[in-house]
Amino acid sequence: MASPKNDGSVDDNNGVDYVVHYKIPVKEKAQAEAGYIELIKALTTVGLASEVRRASKDSLYVFVKIASNELLQKQVYRSRLQDWLHGVRSAGPNQDVAKTLENEPVTEAERLRLVYLMIIKPENEGGAGITEKVGKWKHVDAIFPLQNRAFNKEWISTWSGKYLLEEAEIHNIRERFGENITMYFVFLRSYLRFLVIPSAIGFSAWLCLGQFSMIYAVATCLWSVVFFEYWKKKELDLAVQWGVRRVSEIQQPRPEYQWEYEQEDPVTGEALRVYPPMKRLQTQILQVPFALACVIALGSLSLTAISLEIFINEVYNGPGKQYLTFVPTVILVVCTPIISSILMTAAKALTDRENYATVDAYHAALIQKQFVLNFMTSYMPLLFTTFVYLPFGHVLIPALDFWRRTAQAITFSKAPLATREFQINPQRISAQMFYFTVTAQIVNFATELVVPYIKQRAFAKAKEIQAKRSEETVQDNPEEAEFMKRVRNEYEMDVYDVTEDYREMVMQFGYLNLFSVAWPLAPCCFLVNNWVELRSDALKIAMSCRRPVPWRADSIGPWLQTLGVLSWLGSVTSSAIVFLCSRDRDGERGGASNFTAWGLLLSILLVEHFYFLAQIVVRTVLDKLESPGLQKERKERFQMKRRLLQDHLGQDVADRPAAPGIENSEKITRAALEEEARRTSIRGKGLPSEIFWQRQHGMQETIDVGRMFITQMDVKNGKPDNTAQPSPRA
Amino acid sequence: MASPKNDGSVDDNNGVDYVVHYKIPVKEKAQAEAGYIELIKALTTVGLASEVRRASKDSLYVFVKIASNELLQKQVYRSRLQDWLHGVRSAGPNQDVAKTLENEPVTEAERLRLVYLMIIKPENEGGAGITEKVGKWKHVDAIFPLQNRAFNKEWISTWSGKYLLEEAEIHNIRERFGENITMYFVFLRSYLRFLVIPSAIGFSAWLCLGQFSMIYAVATCLWSVVFFEYWKKKELDLAVQWGVRRVSEIQQPRPEYQWEYEQEDPVTGEALRVYPPMKRLQTQILQVPFALACVIALGSLSLTAISLEIFINEVYNGPGKQYLTFVPTVILVVCTPIISSILMTAAKALTDRENYATVDAYHAALIQKQFVLNFMTSYMPLLFTTFVYLPFGHVLIPALDFWRRTAQAITFSKAPLATREFQINPQRISAQMFYFTVTAQIVNFATELVVPYIKQRAFAKAKEIQAKRSEETVQDNPEEAEFMKRVRNEYEMDVYDVTEDYREMVMQFGYLNLFSVAWPLAPCCFLVNNWVELRSDALKIAMSCRRPVPWRADSIGPWLQTLGVLSWLGSVTSSAIVFLCSRDRDGERGGASNFTAWGLLLSILLVEHFYFLAQIVVRTVLDKLESPGLQKERKERFQMKRRLLQDHLGQDVADRPAAPGIENSEKITRAALEEEARRTSIRGKGLPSEIFWQRQHGMQETIDVGRMFITQMDVKNGKPDNTAQPSPRA
């Protein structure tokens, strides 16, 4: 039996790998019971041991662990082989299973990932094919691993004394939570470190240059290019160091996928299940009306709220102004989530209809749509201010008139409302930016960490009270009571989704790039926020969420692309804001229509091309630096090939350049030429080409004849050489 | 002995692989003689047989061939092994040398390339280290292979009857002239095929839309994006199909390279000779003043010539106008080559000082500078017209006044010159475009093909006459006279440089993209020109140039980047031309300063972003299509790995997904659990986690207990379950 240390199991959890929460609804009891039997059978068939306990009044917990260490080792070995086949690993695993595991012990993350795959993989790929809440497994409510309490406690406590994550900690997180979540933490750490630069620039700009400084805009633009290119390289390097490069190519099939016909894979020869891409494209085209719907719905909401806000704040001067100020905010706060959730449902339905074959493709498509939505809700007000309010403020006058008339109609007053004259206020964008940077971040922090904690506590308390009142508590075995309480507790927690955290950071990166020129202190706020975020996210994963399945990842995925888009867009909006607002501040502008459009376009054009140029330069410079991970990979590949080569040839041919055998070539030459001479003499005169090569036999003769030619040149300088081709043989 | 068919030698050439032309200058005879002896020794040492003949009054021909078939086979095998080590080949060569050569026979190109490498490689890498005209080999005037007459004759004759190259012919060219030249022909063929589209659009635009059509501009922009992206993919595919992918990473060291210190390669462990990159960067920064010098020198020349031309053609109305018209052209024709060659010398000196370690890096750097120069000389007049003459024509008035005063001073006339009022003429750009498209192409054709041919004939004749007169002819052996005459003939020929041909095509692509909107018939002319070019280039290589060394190449190299730059620049200039000229045509414009700058900027901005968008879309679409070459490569890799895997495991594990042994997992489960139970009962009570997993033994018990729980829910619906955790064992 292998060493018990090398199986990635957690002692504290009674060796439980996964908990399956199985619901028994009163109405479908018979069906659920049949399903339960099938569940246990399916688990056992693939080699998973199970224990059942009562979870609550109407549900069961099925505890799952891998049946034996031998099976785990087989699984690990097979998975590593498959990695190698897909090019994830440069060297194939050792032929000896035990040695492989000794060289590279099984981590908690690897164990949990493999067991989860055993549970969810389709039957034809050797899994139990159990899918949460789908189809015949609709009573399977949740499948989740249990937290490693000892590690979490240590993690959180070590961290409170440190400024940033250290390499050793990253290693530990990776062994417990897998590469997908670790990638997020490393991304956050890199971003946090990089934020120091715009913070410093922003702070100095705020002190010396004030708002709307072109220098600040260009510096941020440059910074974002460097950060983006740096991260692209870093991400690749991490993937190589962690041995997960190209892991995103190993795709997990989506259980909901519906294929139309089978086709042979031209590469592997396996049967591929195909959904015609043209059919999918037809559905994908629906994204255009979807995006339009987003723009129209959220745009008109923004327009309403903003024009009302402008009317109240900057035009209206009548009674109740202090209360009316909140009306637009209330409208936004109430309507945005409603419209968002409707659109989000549409986005999900659309993505479902697009019928992707793999989980990754599905998620990428969903994230793309979500990003469009988030982009609208987050940046619409600021974009509106930049590109409509500031340059074409006068187009708002009809809307303001509409509000004036509405207000008069409501108040039933015939007398004209007390209003001021409408004036475009360039500070508006700074105020908005302040709101999004400070207020929104604090609110977000509260909703993300404090609210779930309170909610969970309250729910637990409520359930306890309710259960006590109705005397419905499930009695556990006293020895297990503590453990069962913990399992119930973890079940109640939120499901952690790393996408949400990425989304938050990417949107923040967008604020910084697109609009921070209006309020240069924004990066400082983000710096503080993210320092807290790094810790609060760790707390969230360790304390207030179910433990996530430790997936692997070789990249931050679709977010990389959105970072690129935001970085580019930043160059456009920053230059526009600088041009529009700095002119305003100087009070140069007369009428709204008189501003120089060509100046605006020129400044956008210049900064944008500066962005492209910077991108090329930064990319070229970074390409020249070899990253440690890639170097390691190249070295491994080289050594592997050299080893194979030595096996092949039985000599260290690989060490030597493709040189001929210098030491014996002279011999070859002479031997070959003499051989040729002999052959020719046997056959008689021989071919012209043979005669040609026999005029001078061997090196010395060639040298002698050549020297004779040279001497001839000397002797008969300027005179013809009438002797025929000389032959020393003659 | 291996089959004589499989050694890539050419019978017609007496088996000669290379001819070395060795000069014996009268003044340095002793030194040259010593050098000659060293040459023959060096060649013999690496395994090359040599024969010497008199070439002319003061030079020798050394004929070189590889000494034996065995040595050739060893060289081929070693080179293929090294390819595999560098990742050029996906599968390593067979262990059996003879079998490897049987599977993949040695081609003429491979043989010639390897022999050439044996001649020129440095001694520490196992070559003879002979370099043309450099250092101690300064008397080595030329090293060249002989043409394969039989093949060339057939090639040219087959081709005259065909419209385009066929795959079989590409294969033949590749086997004779190597991948580098074949890549050029395939590029030219692809480009020619693609040209049909803009020709058709251009012709219809000329018929229906006239000049300066935005539709034509956008269509060309789109076309150039598609062509560029297509070629990038095609190039990669070709490289894979030809088995030369990543061949550009196998670098040939530059003999002139001067290193400062040695360092160990972190990957291969070999000693690397390093020149500090920062030092090189310092030299590279000199490229900025170089580019400025190009702009100033060629720009002021253009300005002079153009303003003079405008003055004569559009302002001057006095006597002698018909003769004076040619003055600016003469100035340009005389001065451009002078300035160009000065700048080219500077570029070469600069590149030399940059001290690149490899031949490829050196060439790429040189081509880059050359491109800047070519760009200036070719496009400067047209760019000047587009961005200075058309929008800011009035700035030329001082220059015109200068010419007026000069003219008056020259003619000594007090009376005012007969002039017309200066008027900006938008048709100017079309006239220029016509000149560059038609006139220049015809002139170019003449200089490229006809002139060298005449020159060579004339030279040969002159030499013959001269030789006869001075009775200096070298008397050859009558049997070899015919052959020697041919060798002398080929030696007299030009050296073929594929870079020149690429340059011509890339500059043409530039004309099409940047300016053809001014004269939409340009693509049709290019189409005709290139149809001829494809043939004339073949003729050139086969008939009027020395046979080039058959290098390999996996890409068109630095030209790819220039294609991309020109394609992007096209979007900018086309939209500018359309905006500036179509407004002019409508006669809307009043004064020169009154044109709408914002309109110009907006149209540039829009078309440029259309270009970026199109690029993303085209790239995405093309990425989805799998090219045959890449598919083939993936398949090869997959099969190789599968084979290795089967060797490793002795079973077809690779065919099966990473599934557990379904058939025996049940057994494992039961066995493992029972084993555990036995162990526990021996040890007594056991650990809590062991007790946890022993409550239910095996699948059936878990099912039974679960069913019992479910039944309990049913019976005591709403009532508490007071029994402790039930155990069927109890």
Side-chain angles (χ1 to χ4, degrees):
Chain A
M1 210 174 157
S3 146
K5 284 271 168 258
N6 187 9
D7 65 353
S9 65
V10 181
D11 282 341
D12 195 34
N13 290 335
N14 279 332
V16 168
D17 288 325
Y18 279 87
V19 180
V20 179
H21 186 249
Y22 195 84
K23 288 211 165 175
I24 316 279
V26 181
K27 285 183 186 168
E28 300 173 26
K29 191 167 275 186
Q31 200 195 343
E33 188 175 335
Y36 165 76
I37 296 170
E38 240 183 296
L39 173 72
I40 303 296
K41 278 187 179 161
L43 290 173
T44 314
T45 313
V46 293
L48 295 166
S50 49
E51 281 274 321
V52 68
R53 299 287 184 275
R54 281 197 69 169
S56 71
K57 192 172 65 89
D58 56 355
S59 62
L60 301 173
Y61 284 133
V62 178
F63 296 97
V64 176
K65 76 164 183 183
I66 198 157
S68 73
N69 226 320
E70 284 77 18
L71 182 58
L72 175 70
Q73 288 179 356
K74 265 192 193 162
Q75 287 286 337
V76 170
Y77 189 71
R78 283 235 167 82
S79 129
R80 289 182 186 176
L81 263 183
Q82 209 199 11
D83 280 358
W84 176 60
L85 207 64
H86 277 88
V88 175
R89 288 163 173 265
S90 50
N94 200 295
Q95 259 170 283
D96 183 6
V97 178
K99 212 170 167 190
T100 304
L101 292 174
E102 203 176 288
N103 290 340
E104 201 181 330
V106 187
T107 62
E108 224 177 289
E110 191 172 15
R111 181 194 172 105
L112 285 177
R113 180 170 54 83
L114 291 177
V115 174
Y116 192 67
L117 282 174
M118 284 170 78
I119 299 175
I120 63 156
K121 263 194 174 173
E123 278 154 68
N124 64 347
E125 293 187 25
I130 293 160
T131 45
E132 278 176 52
K133 298 176 188 170
V134 173
K136 74 170 179 176
W137 303 111
K138 68 176 173 180
H139 299 299
V140 174
D141 176 54
I143 307 174
F144 60 97
L146 293 172
Q147 293 280 8
N148 182 345
R149 282 192 303 172
F151 170 75
N152 287 354
K153 218 171 156 184
E154 206 195 303
W155 181 28
I156 301 298
S157 70
T158 352
W159 212 350
S160 50
K162 277 179 190 164
Y163 175 60
L164 271 178
L165 260 88
E166 278 161 20
E167 290 304 324
E169 275 174 339
I170 289 176
H171 181 79
N172 285 334
I173 300 175
R174 187 160 77 85
E175 288 201 336
R176 291 333 181 280
F177 292 101
E179 285 79 9
N180 191 22
I181 283 170
T182 318
M183 188 64 92
Y184 168 71
F185 278 103
V186 180
F187 171 75
L188 187 51
R189 184 181 72 150
S190 297
Y191 177 52
L192 182 59
R193 278 185 182 163
F194 261 83
L195 263 182
V196 173
I197 300 163
S199 300
I201 298 171
F203 189 72
S204 350
W206 180 75
L207 280 179
C208 314
L209 304 163
Q211 292 165 293
F212 312 126
S213 143
M214 193 43 123
I215 297 169
Y216 176 80
V218 170
T220 334
C221 175
L222 195 62
W223 170 82
S224 77
V225 170
V226 175
F227 174 66
F228 178 66
E229 296 296 331
Y230 164 82
W231 177 255
K232 261 207 306 201
K233 214 176 147 66
K234 174 83 182 173
E235 178 184 274
L236 184 64
D237 193 63
L238 283 175
V240 172
Q241 280 187 335
W242 293 348
V244 292
R245 192 180 177 184
R246 273 183 283 272
V247 101
S248 55
E249 286 169 27
I250 304 178
Q251 295 283 347
Q252 195 193 321
R254 227 178 114 238
E256 293 90 348
Y257 175 58
Q258 286 170 329
W259 46 283
E260 296 213 336
Y261 57 88
E262 282 194 333
Q263 203 177 27
E264 196 184 87
D265 187 328
V267 174
T268 61
E270 283 165 14
L272 279 183
R273 294 169 165 188
V274 185
Y275 180 74
M278 281 314 294
K279 238 176 151 175
R280 180 170 299 134
L281 189 69
Q282 280 168 19
T283 322
Q284 282 170 331
I285 286 170
L286 292 176
Q287 288 179 16
V288 178
F290 170 74
L292 281 178
C294 287
V295 173
I296 292 167
L298 291 164
S300 53
L301 177 67
S302 291
L303 184 70
T304 314
I306 290 170
S307 59
L308 186 58
E309 196 214 310
I310 292 167
F311 173 72
I312 293 168
N313 283 339
E314 292 171 27
V315 179
Y316 182 68
N317 220 357
K321 185 173 174 171
Q322 64 272 44
Y323 309 113
L324 286 172
T325 303
F326 295 101
V327 172
T329 314
V330 170
I331 292 178
L332 269 183
V333 168
V334 171
C335 296
T336 309
I338 296 171
I339 297 179
S340 281
S341 70
I342 293 170
L343 287 171
M344 201 55 228
T345 317
K348 217 184 150 293
L350 205 60
T351 317
D352 283 339
R353 251 191 86 182
E354 278 161 15
N355 189 25
Y356 291 101
T358 63
V359 174
D360 277 7
Y362 179 83
H363 275 153
L366 192 61
I367 284 176
Q368 220 173 32
K369 295 188 190 71
Q370 218 171 341
F371 176 72
V372 172
L373 248 168
N374 284 320
F375 187 90
M376 296 289 163
T377 48
S378 308
Y379 304 143
M380 186 68 106
L382 282 156
L383 285 174
F384 184 84
T385 309
T386 312
F387 290 105
V388 180
Y389 174 81
L390 289 175
F392 313 109
H394 60 286
V395 303
L396 286 175
I397 292 174
L400 297 181
D401 277 341
F402 167 76
W403 290 118
R404 198 192 312 262
R405 266 177 280 118
T406 313
Q408 274 183 316
I410 289 169
T411 53
F412 298 109
S413 74
K414 287 276 171 205
L417 269 170
T419 54
R420 292 181 297 186
E421 203 201 334
F422 172 58
Q423 269 286 340
I424 290 168
N425 172 15
Q427 289 304 321
R428 206 187 134 66
I429 194 168
S430 314
Q432 279 181 308
M433 192 58 198
F434 180 81
Y435 168 77
F436 281 112
T437 319
V438 181
T439 324
Q441 297 271 355
I442 293 171
V443 170
N444 178 59
F445 176 75
T447 51
E448 199 180 345
L449 201 69
V450 182
V451 171
Y453 186 76
I454 296 172
K455 201 176 78 183
Q456 184 217 326
R457 280 286 153 121
F459 261 109
K461 206 79 194 164
K463 273 219 166 172
E464 220 171 277
I465 293 166
Q466 191 197 21
K468 261 188 193 153
R469 198 182 301 146
S470 62
E471 292 179 347
E472 257 183 30
T473 340
V474 174
Q475 287 286 322
D476 298 315
N477 191 312
E479 289 170 30
E480 292 170 11
E482 170 79 16
F483 175 70
M484 290 304 295
K485 195 183 158 196
R486 189 150 71 81
V487 172
R488 288 201 185 87
N489 208 7
E490 289 191 19
Y491 168 72
E492 295 294 338
M493 288 175 177
D494 282 339
V495 177
Y496 176 74
D497 183 8
V498 77
T499 316
E500 279 306 297
D501 283 339
Y502 274 126
R503 197 184 52 72
E504 197 186 323
M505 284 303 114
V506 169
M507 295 321 279
Q508 191 195 75
F509 179 82
Y511 279 121
L512 199 161
N513 269 295
L514 270 65
F515 308 106
S516 77
V517 71
W519 192 57
L521 283 182
C524 302
C525 296
F526 291 148
L527 186 71
V528 174
N529 174 76
N530 291 0
W531 192 84
V532 177
E533 182 83 24
L534 196 57
R535 278 149 190 78
S536 73
D537 282 341
L539 266 176
K540 195 164 72 177
I541 292 177
M543 301 294 172
S544 66
C545 279
R546 275 188 212 159
R547 180 174 190 167
V549 176
W551 291 119
R552 297 189 292 181
D554 59 356
S555 145
I556 61 171
W559 296 109
L560 190 70
Q561 223 186 329
T562 52
L563 277 184
V565 170
L566 289 172
S567 159
W568 161 73
L569 219 65
S571 71
V572 176
T573 57
S574 299
S575 49
I577 293 174
V578 169
F579 183 81
L580 291 168
C581 297
S582 61
R583 284 182 60 83
D584 278 358
R585 220 176 23 158
D586 298 348
E588 272 179 42
R589 208 167 79 193
S593 61
N594 201 19
F595 83 106
T596 47
W598 74 266
L600 174 64
L601 289 171
L602 190 67
S603 67
I604 290 178
L605 212 70
L606 286 179
V607 177
E608 194 184 355
H609 283 87
F610 169 78
Y611 168 83
F612 290 132
L613 188 72
Q615 196 174 41
I616 292 169
V617 171
V618 170
R619 210 170 275 176
T620 315
V621 171
L622 283 180
D623 268 356
K624 293 232 165 131
L625 309 172
E626 193 162 30
S627 63
L630 285 179
Q631 207 173 55
K632 184 186 140 220
E633 197 200 20
R634 276 214 303 141
K635 191 167 186 168
E636 270 176 22
R637 271 180 209 274
F638 184 85
Q639 281 169 348
M640 185 197 69
K641 282 194 178 164
R642 178 141 75 183
R643 213 174 46 239
L644 281 173
L645 212 60
Q646 282 165 2
D647 291 356
H648 259 229
L649 295 179
Q651 60 175 41
D652 62 344
V653 106
D655 265 340
R656 292 165 49 195
I662 292 180
E663 62 295 327
N664 61 1
S665 62
E666 171 71 357
K667 209 172 59 202
I668 289 173
T669 321
R670 296 219 160 241
L673 287 173
E674 268 153 32
E675 160 70 24
E676 238 177 87
R678 209 173 324 116
R679 270 192 299 117
T680 321
S681 62
I682 292 165
R683 267 194 279 149
K685 191 124 174 67
L687 295 167
S689 71
E690 281 170 356
I691 301 167
F692 181 87
W693 286 98
Q694 279 160 30
R695 297 217 184 267
Q696 294 140 23
H697 268 203
M699 177 176 87
Q700 203 48 52
E701 277 187 27
T702 313
I703 291 176
D704 293 341
V705 174
R707 292 182 71 175
M708 199 175 68
F709 285 150
I710 296 171
T711 322
Q712 283 174 354
M713 289 175 194
D714 201 25
V715 173
K716 310 177 200 171
N717 197 4
K719 280 169 213 154
D721 169 17
N722 282 324
T723 57
Q725 192 78 324
S727 163
R729 294 257 153 141
Chain B
M1 213 175 154
S3 144
K5 285 271 167 259
N6 188 9
D7 64 353
S9 65
V10 181
D11 282 341
D12 194 32
N13 290 336
N14 278 332
V16 169
D17 288 323
Y18 279 87
V19 180
V20 179
H21 186 247
Y22 194 83
K23 286 210 165 174
I24 317 276
V26 181
K27 284 179 185 171
E28 301 173 26
K29 191 167 273 186
Q31 201 194 344
E33 188 175 337
Y36 166 74
I37 296 171
E38 242 184 293
L39 172 73
I40 302 296
K41 279 186 178 164
L43 290 173
T44 314
T45 314
V46 295
L48 294 167
S50 50
E51 281 274 322
V52 66
R53 298 288 184 276
R54 280 197 70 167
S56 71
K57 191 171 69 83
D58 57 355
S59 62
L60 301 172
Y61 284 133
V62 178
F63 295 98
V64 176
K65 78 165 182 181
I66 197 157
S68 72
N69 228 319
E70 284 77 19
L71 181 59
L72 174 70
Q73 288 179 356
K74 266 192 191 163
Q75 287 285 338
V76 170
Y77 190 69
R78 283 235 166 81
S79 129
R80 290 183 185 174
L81 264 183
Q82 209 199 10
D83 281 358
W84 176 60
L85 208 63
H86 277 90
V88 174
R89 286 162 176 266
S90 51
N94 201 293
Q95 261 171 280
D96 182 7
V97 179
K99 211 170 168 191
T100 304
L101 293 175
E102 202 176 290
N103 291 341
E104 202 181 329
V106 188
T107 62
E108 223 177 290
E110 191 172 14
R111 179 193 174 106
L112 284 177
R113 179 170 54 83
L114 291 177
V115 175
Y116 192 68
L117 282 174
M118 286 169 78
I119 299 175
I120 63 154
K121 263 196 177 174
E123 277 154 69
N124 64 346
E125 291 187 28
I130 294 160
T131 45
E132 277 176 52
K133 298 177 188 168
V134 173
K136 74 171 180 177
W137 303 113
K138 66 175 175 181
H139 299 298
V140 175
D141 176 53
I143 306 173
F144 60 96
L146 293 172
Q147 293 280 9
N148 183 345
R149 283 192 304 174
F151 170 76
N152 288 354
K153 216 170 157 183
E154 205 195 305
W155 181 27
I156 301 298
S157 70
T158 353
W159 213 349
S160 49
K162 277 178 191 167
Y163 175 60
L164 272 178
L165 261 88
E166 278 162 22
E167 290 304 324
E169 274 174 342
I170 288 175
H171 181 78
N172 285 336
I173 300 175
R174 188 161 77 86
E175 288 202 335
R176 290 333 181 280
F177 292 101
E179 285 81 7
N180 190 23
I181 284 170
T182 318
M183 188 64 92
Y184 168 70
F185 278 104
V186 180
F187 170 75
L188 187 51
R189 184 181 71 152
S190 298
Y191 177 50
L192 182 59
R193 278 185 182 162
F194 261 83
L195 265 181
V196 173
I197 301 162
S199 300
I201 298 171
F203 190 72
S204 351
W206 181 73
L207 280 180
C208 315
L209 303 163
Q211 290 166 294
F212 312 127
S213 144
M214 193 44 121
I215 296 170
Y216 176 80
V218 171
T220 333
C221 176
L222 195 64
W223 170 82
S224 80
V225 171
V226 174
F227 173 66
F228 179 65
E229 296 296 330
Y230 164 82
W231 177 256
K232 263 208 303 203
K233 215 175 146 69
K234 174 83 183 175
E235 180 183 273
L236 184 64
D237 194 64
L238 282 174
V240 172
Q241 279 187 336
W242 294 347
V244 292
R245 192 180 177 185
R246 273 184 284 272
V247 102
S248 55
E249 287 169 25
I250 304 179
Q251 295 283 345
Q252 195 194 322
R254 227 178 113 238
E256 294 90 347
Y257 175 58
Q258 287 170 330
W259 46 283
E260 296 212 337
Y261 55 88
E262 281 193 334
Q263 204 177 26
E264 195 184 83
D265 187 329
V267 174
T268 61
E270 283 166 13
L272 277 183
R273 296 170 164 186
V274 185
Y275 180 74
M278 280 314 294
K279 240 176 149 172
R280 181 171 299 134
L281 189 69
Q282 280 168 19
T283 321
Q284 281 170 332
I285 286 171
L286 292 177
Q287 287 178 16
V288 177
F290 170 74
L292 281 179
C294 288
V295 172
I296 292 169
L298 292 164
S300 52
L301 177 68
S302 291
L303 184 68
T304 314
I306 291 170
S307 59
L308 186 59
E309 196 215 310
I310 292 168
F311 173 73
I312 292 168
N313 284 339
E314 291 171 28
V315 179
Y316 181 68
N317 222 355
K321 186 172 173 172
Q322 64 272 44
Y323 309 113
L324 286 173
T325 304
F326 294 102
V327 173
T329 314
V330 169
I331 292 177
L332 270 183
V333 166
V334 171
C335 296
T336 309
I338 296 171
I339 297 179
S340 281
S341 71
I342 293 170
L343 287 170
M344 202 54 229
T345 316
K348 216 184 151 294
L350 205 60
T351 317
D352 282 340
R353 252 190 85 183
E354 279 162 14
N355 191 22
Y356 290 101
T358 62
V359 174
D360 277 6
Y362 178 83
H363 275 155
L366 192 62
I367 284 175
Q368 219 172 30
K369 295 188 190 68
Q370 218 172 342
F371 177 71
V372 172
L373 247 167
N374 285 321
F375 186 90
M376 296 289 162
T377 47
S378 309
Y379 303 142
M380 187 68 107
L382 283 156
L383 285 174
F384 185 84
T385 309
T386 313
F387 291 104
V388 180
Y389 174 82
L390 289 175
F392 312 111
H394 60 287
V395 303
L396 286 175
I397 291 173
L400 297 181
D401 277 339
F402 168 77
W403 290 118
R404 195 194 315 261
R405 266 178 280 119
T406 314
Q408 273 183 319
I410 288 170
T411 53
F412 299 106
S413 73
K414 287 277 168 201
L417 270 170
T419 54
R420 291 179 300 186
E421 204 201 335
F422 172 58
Q423 270 288 340
I424 290 169
N425 171 17
Q427 289 305 321
R428 207 186 133 66
I429 193 166
S430 312
Q432 278 181 309
M433 192 58 199
F434 179 81
Y435 168 77
F436 282 110
T437 319
V438 181
T439 324
Q441 297 272 357
I442 292 171
V443 170
N444 179 59
F445 176 75
T447 52
E448 200 180 345
L449 202 70
V450 182
V451 172
Y453 186 77
I454 295 171
K455 201 175 78 181
Q456 184 219 326
R457 279 286 153 121
F459 262 108
K461 206 79 197 165
K463 274 217 166 173
E464 219 171 277
I465 292 165
Q466 192 196 22
K468 261 188 190 153
R469 199 180 304 147
S470 61
E471 290 178 351
E472 258 182 30
T473 338
V474 173
Q475 288 287 323
D476 296 316
N477 191 313
E479 287 172 32
E480 293 171 10
E482 170 81 15
F483 175 69
M484 289 305 292
K485 193 182 160 197
R486 188 150 72 81
V487 172
R488 288 201 184 85
N489 209 7
E490 288 191 20
Y491 168 71
E492 295 294 339
M493 288 175 179
D494 282 337
V495 176
Y496 177 73
D497 184 6
V498 77
T499 316
E500 280 305 298
D501 282 339
Y502 273 127
R503 196 184 52 72
E504 197 186 326
M505 284 303 114
V506 169
M507 296 320 280
Q508 190 195 77
F509 179 81
Y511 279 120
L512 199 162
N513 269 294
L514 270 64
F515 308 106
S516 75
V517 71
W519 193 57
L521 282 183
C524 302
C525 295
F526 291 148
L527 186 70
V528 174
N529 175 76
N530 292 1
W531 192 85
V532 177
E533 182 84 25
L534 197 59
R535 278 149 189 78
S536 73
D537 283 340
L539 265 177
K540 195 164 71 177
I541 292 177
M543 301 295 172
S544 67
C545 278
R546 275 187 212 159
R547 181 173 189 170
V549 177
W551 291 117
R552 298 189 292 181
D554 59 356
S555 145
I556 60 170
W559 297 110
L560 190 70
Q561 223 185 327
T562 52
L563 277 184
V565 170
L566 289 173
S567 159
W568 160 73
L569 220 65
S571 71
V572 175
T573 55
S574 299
S575 49
I577 293 174
V578 169
F579 184 81
L580 291 168
C581 297
S582 61
R583 283 184 58 83
D584 280 358
R585 221 175 22 160
D586 299 347
E588 272 179 43
R589 207 168 78 193
S593 62
N594 201 20
F595 84 104
T596 47
W598 73 267
L600 174 63
L601 289 171
L602 191 67
S603 68
I604 290 177
L605 212 71
L606 286 180
V607 176
E608 195 185 353
H609 284 87
F610 169 77
Y611 167 83
F612 290 130
L613 189 72
Q615 198 174 39
I616 292 169
V617 172
V618 170
R619 212 171 273 176
T620 316
V621 171
L622 283 180
D623 268 354
K624 293 232 164 128
L625 308 172
E626 193 161 32
S627 62
L630 287 179
Q631 206 173 55
K632 183 186 142 220
E633 196 200 21
R634 277 213 302 140
K635 191 166 186 167
E636 270 175 22
R637 272 179 208 275
F638 184 85
Q639 281 169 347
M640 184 197 67
K641 282 195 177 161
R642 178 141 76 183
R643 213 175 46 238
L644 281 171
L645 213 59
Q646 282 167 0
D647 291 356
H648 261 230
L649 296 179
Q651 59 176 43
D652 62 344
V653 107
D655 265 340
R656 291 165 50 194
I662 293 180
E663 61 296 327
N664 59 359
S665 63
E666 173 71 359
K667 208 171 58 201
I668 289 172
T669 321
R670 296 220 160 240
L673 289 172
E674 270 154 32
E675 161 71 22
E676 239 175 88
R678 210 175 320 117
R679 270 190 300 116
T680 321
S681 59
I682 292 165
R683 268 193 277 150
K685 192 128 172 68
L687 295 166
S689 70
E690 280 170 357
I691 300 168
F692 180 88
W693 286 99
Q694 278 160 29
R695 297 219 186 264
Q696 293 139 23
H697 268 204
M699 180 176 86
Q700 202 49 52
E701 277 187 25
T702 313
I703 291 175
D704 294 342
V705 175
R707 292 182 73 176
M708 198 174 69
F709 285 149
I710 295 170
T711 320
Q712 281 173 355
M713 288 174 195
D714 200 26
V715 172
K716 309 177 204 173
N717 198 5
K719 281 168 216 155
D721 169 15
N722 281 324
T723 56
Q725 192 75 325
S727 164
R729 294 259 153 139

